[in-house]
Amino acid sequence: LGDGPLTFTIAGKTIEAGYIYPQLSWESDAMSGILGKGLLTSFVVTFDLQRQRFWLEESLDESALLACEHVTGEPVFVDILESIYLFVKGKVENIEGLFLMDTGTHHNILQESSLVALQLAAPRPAIQGILQCFMFGCFWGEAATIGSFSIGGLEVQDMLVRTIPDEEFGKFVDWSE
């Protein structure tokens, strides 16, 4: 669509974008676009995957989150590093790091060097020679199960991960910001 500012409305909220440009070839006429960082950083966003909904709010309404009867526990809040993408601090077994938040991928991805470090600490079976293709390229990697992943005090056990080359991770963040 070109240079902006462009203004559009989604879910009753008005968003201004500096520019919008096509960068993908759509494989489906059902999809009209991508809601990205510009939307996620403009509002408080709540995802409810069980009911397949999300909310955009001007400010946090913690009492509304606690009132949801279909979930247990309390909301977890984590700090976000904003760069080219959104990142959160987390931990894979004994390795702390930054993890890219991607609500569209079905894969959990680690740098090759992270899996090597985990294997040295506690060897586990891995499948080598897996060709993995993503929007940013195709890579040969491995697949393995990690013991735990934690973020914001929550932990997931026995999570399948795939690796991509370390040098590809540099494309996700501009550390000069």
Side-chain angles (χ1 to χ4, degrees):
L1 296 174
D3 292 334
L6 303 168
T7 303
F8 59 100
T9 302
I10 183 165
K13 306 294 181 185
T14 301
I15 301 165
E16 186 173 291
Y19 60 90
I20 298 177
Y21 59 93
Q23 66 183 42
L24 303 172
S25 62
W26 308 120
E27 293 183 14
S28 168
D29 291 334
M31 184 168 67
S32 300
I34 297 174
L35 302 177
K37 185 176 78 169
L39 174 76
L40 297 176
T41 57
S42 299
F43 301 100
V44 174
V45 182
T46 301
F47 290 96
D48 183 343
L49 297 179
Q50 288 181 339
R51 294 191 292 177
Q52 297 183 357
R53 296 181 180 168
F54 77 95
W55 286 263
L56 303 175
E57 298 291 338
E58 299 292 334
S59 61
L60 178 64
D61 184 355
E62 191 169 347
S63 62
L65 292 174
L66 293 172
C68 291
E69 296 177 3
H70 66 289
V71 294
T72 59
E74 294 186 15
V76 174
F77 301 95
V78 293
D79 293 329
I80 293 176
L81 167 67
E82 182 181 346
S83 184
I84 298 170
Y85 293 94
L86 301 176
F87 293 84
V88 295
K89 291 181 181 178
K91 188 173 180 180
V92 173
E93 295 181 15
N94 63 341
I95 299 174
E96 293 186 9
L98 291 173
F99 296 86
L100 185 144
M101 297 294 295
D102 185 346
T103 60
T105 188
H106 296 283
H107 308 291
N108 303 303
I109 302 170
L110 284 181
Q111 293 176 241
E112 284 177 334
S113 61
S114 294
L115 184 58
V116 167
L118 292 172
Q119 291 286 46
L120 289 172
R124 71 213 62 217
I127 301 171
Q128 299 179 347
I130 295 176
L131 180 62
Q132 305 169 94
C133 292
F134 305 97
M135 291 176 66
F136 53 89
C138 293
F139 311 98
W140 291 100
E142 293 184 55
T145 302
I146 58 171
S148 65
F149 173 75
S150 59
I151 180 173
L154 299 177
E155 189 171 282
V156 176
Q157 297 290 321
D158 303 320
M159 189 169 77
L160 177 66
V161 296
R162 298 176 185 198
T163 63
I164 65 171
D166 288 13
E167 59 271 14
E168 295 302 322
F169 271 78
K171 297 176 181 177
F172 293 122
V173 63
D174 179 359
W175 296 109
S176 66
E177 294 181 355

